[in-house]
Amino acid sequence: MESLDKLKDPLVVEGSAESEESSIYDETIIPDEFITPHVAEGKNIHTLKAGNFEMPVSFQVKEGRFGISGILPETGKGGIISGRILGKEAKINHLKLDEELRDSGKQFKGVADALLTDLESNLNAEGVATIHAAFFTPGTVRFLLRNGYNIVPVTSLSEDTKIGLKFNPTNLDSRIGSIDDFENGKDRIDPHQILLVKNIQQSTDGRTSDIQAEGLKEGDAEEIARVRSELGI
């Protein structure tokens, strides 16, 4: 069995934080348009730039999901980052960059970082203040750390966030709650996903506002309350 430490590329397919188990946190089907890199389409088509590299990409929000994706017309190779969005919170649960576009040479250096930065800018425009992510591959975790994400304890997630963004707590590694834990436990047996978070929107005084800390827009709290009531929790 291949060691996780051999998976060094920053963007690799790890599946989704939304497992196939049936529970209040999960769902069984993720549309292909949020899994497979595809040609830029829709209203929000723009050019992703990383040095001399350029690729048309598009960002979309649809039925509680977000995604940014694009493909190089000349090669058919591209990338995608997608996940869940609810009010002022979002969760990245899928990252894929075709091998030819990874940081393997000067031509494509920084493409992964540029795609993530572009995504964050678009999510910010949608009013998102906090982005969560959960992955187990060390290379992906390091990629996110390099881009300003922090490893946080699983206990930092509220129940509303778990439900609203479809986090499955059983998939998260409660042993890893900081960078030090990650560095000391990177060779752990039976790894689970490591929880990361990044604040991308602040109030004018530089502090996260109360509504941003809650991660909710008007109406979202009512929706979560409705779901909790239906589930009897």
Side-chain angles (χ1 to χ4, degrees), residues 148-218:
Y149 289 75
N150 294 305
I151 296 173
V152 295
V154 174
T155 53
S156 66
L157 282 177
S158 70
E159 191 66 18
D160 287 344
T161 296
K162 293 176 188 175
I163 294 173
L165 294 179
K166 302 211 178 275
F167 271 105
N168 187 340
T170 62
N171 291 340
L172 299 174
D173 198 332
S174 61
R175 299 165 294 182
I176 309 297
S178 68
I179 293 178
D180 287 341
D181 291 340
F182 169 66
E183 294 295 346
N184 294 328
K186 61 175 179 283
D187 296 322
R188 64 199 186 284
I189 299 175
D190 185 30
H192 288 67
Q193 293 166 340
I194 295 171
L195 180 64
L196 302 99
V197 67
K198 181 177 181 179
N199 178 37
I200 62 169
Q201 182 178 335
Q202 294 184 326
S203 59
T204 55
D205 63 1
R207 295 176 299 176
T208 303
S209 68
D210 291 340
I211 191 169
Q212 289 170 351
E214 289 296 327
L216 300 174
K217 286 181 179 177
E218 183 180 357

Side-chain angles (χ1 to χ4, degrees), residues 11 18 27 57 63 70-71 92 102 139 160 162 167 191 219:
L11 290 187
E18 303 168 26
E27 57 192 346
V57 297
E63 298 178 351
I71 287 179
I92 297 173
R102 298 177 192 172
D160 287 344
K162 293 176 188 175
F167 271 105

Side-chain angles (χ1 to χ4, degrees), residues 81-108:
I81 305 178
S82 64
R84 278 277 176 183
I85 183 171
L86 179 68
K88 291 184 177 290
E89 289 188 301
K91 178 192 66 170
I92 297 173
N93 59 22
H94 184 72
L95 306 105
K96 180 178 180 180
L97 192 68
D98 285 327
E99 187 174 356
E100 291 85 343
L101 303 184
R102 298 177 192 172
D103 292 349
S104 56
K106 292 182 179 180
Q107 182 181 3
F108 301 123

Side-chain angles (χ1 to χ4, degrees), residues 23-63:
S23 76
I24 62 173
Y25 304 104
D26 299 322
E27 57 192 346
T28 57
I29 298 175
I30 302 174
D32 186 66
E33 64 186 301
F34 293 101
I35 292 292
T36 305
H38 55 78
V39 174
E41 57 187 2
K43 297 180 180 180
N44 191 346
I45 299 177
H46 54 285
T47 302
L48 178 74
K49 296 182 179 181
N52 295 325
F53 174 87
E54 294 187 359
M55 179 175 72
V57 297
S58 59
F59 172 80
Q60 67 167 324
V61 174
K62 180 179 178 182
E63 298 178 351

